[in-house]
Amino acid sequence: MIKVGIIGVGTVGTSVVQILRDNSEVISARAGQDIEVKIGVVKNLNKDRGLDIIITDNIDDVLNDEEIDIVVELMGGIEEPFEVVKRALKSGKAVVTANKALLAYHRYELADIAKDIAFEYEASVAGGIPIINALRDGLSANHILSIMGIMNGTCNYMMTEMTNNGVDYDVILKEAQELGYAEADPTFDVGGYDAAHKLLILASIAYGIDAKPEDILIEGIDNVTSEDIDFAKEFGYAIKLLGIAKKDENEVELRVHACLIKKDEMIAKIDGVMNAISVVGDKVGETLYYGPGAGGDATASAVVANIIDIARSGKSTPMLGFDKPMEGKLTLKPTANIESKYYLRINVSDKAGVLAQITKIFEENNISVETMLQRPSLNKSANLLISTHIALEKNIQNMIKELEFLDFVNNRPMMIRIV
Ligand code: HSE
């Protein structure tokens, strides 16, 4: 019998207890033994969760209980769970977590401590999709050429509703929170940080890259307006928040931002809270993983899978997929050197000579226009909607800075990268 202690019995923790109870027969057959949740730690003891486990508000009741084999960390945050998880590992308990923020900052320190003890984290990326398993085990024969995907269900849900039903940003964000998709602080979702945490975890498994959120390009969907959505529709694009990892010879680029993606691409068709991640390996070619990226049961499905795996085998796979460092290590590509096509929305005073001056600044920054459209806007202004050929990130950023300070440019130009 394997005994589990859950630290943080919220939506996901409650689903973990229920799945272990509802599917106990198949789970114990798969695990080779019974699995029982003995204790759950909560902040508020007065709330009835309707679960037949011991409930406490003292983490030590789990960490000091010698009967507990596996600690499931679902408390959220970064430094507090880091201390809790370290204590669990040091006392010989296996750990399962869904905490991507913790891993985005401390995965390498945890991998060091967890050398002989199981530490699993399937639920930390894309909820119910077994992407860690696929990347760490199923694709381990390959050099990973790229990873690209929808890694935040909240943003995808919001963009889908804004595009298909014209729902306002604030209204739809509130709905995503009520449905339990959004993080406790939803700026982690809409600001791109949640997707970045997940991308960093995948990048470690794929490339052995030890990068922190501060090291990579992270933007959210908070600046996307209905004008951008209309442009996207008119030109056959969907707007998606994507996490992207791309390898060239010696460098890997890692970035999270809103993207314009052609409507007939598979990823452009993923709607609602669903996640989808494409992984291209040098030998296997493109593989695609699709499923629910948020929500109690979907996330708990991945947590329970990790518990079963530990019950079966104890510890076998290296936590981040590498048993020793790779020779000829890959390095992180500086953001300034990223190359992409770009969409720009520039709100300008609608008067003679403006267009000529704008195009001159494009030329000076070595940026070539692919399409250009002008739409009348409020108070004798116009929106210039421009897409570019492939350009360098540093040139685009420099050009935006120059445009922003011209007196006939009314706001900071909006930019979305085109995939
Ligand atoms: N807030 C996250 C999302 C939950 O919307 O995808 C799953 O990590």
Side-chain angles (χ1 to χ4, degrees):
M1 161 85 77
I2 289 283
K3 297 213 172 179
V4 176
I6 302 180
I7 303 181
V9 189
T11 315
V12 177
T14 303
S15 286
V16 169
V17 178
Q18 282 164 350
I19 291 174
L20 282 166
R21 191 191 54 209
D22 293 351
N23 292 356
S24 62
E25 263 180 41
V26 71
I27 287 172
S28 73
R30 286 187 175 136
Q33 55 187 319
D34 290 343
I35 299 172
E36 178 192 283
V37 177
K38 181 178 175 188
I39 312 180
V41 184
V42 297
K43 275 203 181 122
N44 177 5
L45 280 175
N46 296 324
K47 194 168 152 192
D48 180 21
R49 288 159 180 85
L51 301 173
D52 53 356
I53 59 170
I54 301 166
I55 294 285
T56 170
D57 59 359
N58 186 355
I59 290 175
D60 289 342
D61 290 345
V62 169
L63 298 182
N64 296 337
D65 185 335
E66 292 194 349
E67 274 191 2
I68 298 288
D69 305 291
I70 303 176
V71 173
V72 175
E73 184 276 306
L74 300 170
M75 59 199 288
I78 299 175
E79 296 312 322
E80 200 191 346
F82 184 42
E83 293 310 315
V84 168
V85 160
K86 278 196 290 189
R87 276 183 62 200
L89 291 169
K90 283 178 181 162
S91 63
K93 298 186 191 308
V95 171
V96 175
T97 184
N99 189 336
K100 52 253 156 159
L102 164 69
L103 294 166
Y105 284 96
H106 294 302
R107 59 199 182 282
Y108 282 92
E109 290 145 282
L110 288 168
D112 261 354
I113 302 169
K115 276 209 158 56
D116 303 314
I117 304 164
F119 184 112
E120 294 299 340
Y121 51 100
E122 182 61 72
S124 66
V125 180
I129 307 175
I131 183 70
I132 308 265
N133 208 310
L135 205 50
R136 199 172 57 175
D137 295 329
L139 301 178
S140 60
N142 291 260
H143 282 290
I144 303 301
L145 304 181
S146 68
I147 302 172
M148 184 172 83
I150 295 168
M151 302 181 188
N152 184 272
T154 301
C155 288
N156 206 52
Y157 179 72
M158 290 176 66
M159 290 312 307
T160 304
E161 289 297 312
M162 286 165 72
T163 305
N164 295 354
N165 304 321
V167 186
D168 277 351
Y169 182 93
D170 293 330
V171 173
I172 201 64
L173 175 56
K174 196 158 172 281
E175 210 177 294
Q177 286 176 284
E178 284 163 7
L179 287 165
Y181 301 153
E183 297 301 297
D185 174 357
T187 53
F188 272 79
D189 297 294
V190 295
Y193 303 103
D194 175 79
H197 294 159
K198 294 166 181 168
L199 182 70
L200 289 167
I201 295 168
L202 297 183
S204 283
I205 303 169
Y207 305 111
I209 289 257
D210 179 7
K212 301 270 187 297
E214 292 72 26
D215 303 328
I216 68 167
L217 169 62
I218 306 175
E219 290 171 10
I221 58 161
D222 27 8
N223 291 329
V224 177
T225 65
S226 55
E227 276 151 325
D228 305 317
I229 290 174
D230 289 346
F231 171 88
K233 278 186 184 167
E234 192 171 336
F235 284 84
Y237 291 104
I239 303 182
K240 299 283 180 194
L241 183 86
L242 297 184
I244 298 174
K246 252 197 248 170
K247 173 185 172 300
D248 56 29
E249 200 66 9
N250 306 310
E251 285 185 323
V252 175
E253 64 184 68
L254 298 178
R255 47 191 170 115
V256 170
H257 49 73
C259 293
L260 282 160
I261 179 161
K262 276 282 177 201
K263 267 191 176 145
D264 47 9
E265 294 284 338
M266 279 192 284
I267 290 215
K269 296 180 184 147
I270 308 300
D271 279 343
V273 71
M274 303 308 267
N275 283 191
I277 303 178
S278 146
V279 181
V280 180
D282 64 341
K283 299 299 175 192
V284 70
E286 182 173 18
T287 59
L288 184 70
Y289 308 85
Y290 167 80
D297 278 358
T299 310
S301 156
V303 171
V304 174
N306 282 161
I307 295 173
I308 294 170
D309 201 37
I310 294 169
R312 274 176 182 155
S313 61
K315 159 104 183 166
S316 54
T317 319
M319 179 189 147
L320 294 169
F322 286 89
D323 233 348
K324 62 183 181 86
M326 242 191 323
E327 276 173 37
K329 255 182 132 180
L330 295 162
T331 54
L332 192 63
K333 182 183 259 190
T335 298
N337 296 346
I338 286 171
E339 287 182 310
S340 177
K341 292 172 80 165
Y342 296 82
Y343 152 84
L344 292 139
R345 172 171 44 80
I346 311 169
N347 188 269
V348 294
S349 308
D350 195 358
K351 57 185 186 190
V354 163
L355 208 50
Q357 291 190 62
I358 297 266
T359 50
K360 186 160 171 278
I361 292 175
F362 270 68
E363 186 193 349
E364 284 164 2
N365 284 285
N366 201 19
I367 292 162
S368 167
V369 170
E370 186 176 65
T371 64
M372 184 184 281
L373 189 73
Q374 178 168 326
R375 287 274 152 80
S377 186
L378 304 173
N379 303 327
K380 292 191 180 156
S381 74
N383 274 320
L384 299 176
L385 307 168
I386 298 171
S387 70
T388 75
H389 289 287
I390 289 194
L392 258 183
E393 180 75 21
K394 63 181 165 208
N395 291 351
I396 284 282
Q397 294 295 353
N398 190 53
M399 184 180 72
I400 289 174
K401 247 187 241 153
E402 285 180 19
L403 289 170
E404 191 180 354
F405 293 108
L406 295 173
D407 55 5
F408 55 79
V409 173
N410 297 324
N411 320 99
R412 185 179 162 80
M414 168 68 175
M415 175 268 278
I416 304 180
R417 295 169 192 84
I418 301 174
V419 176

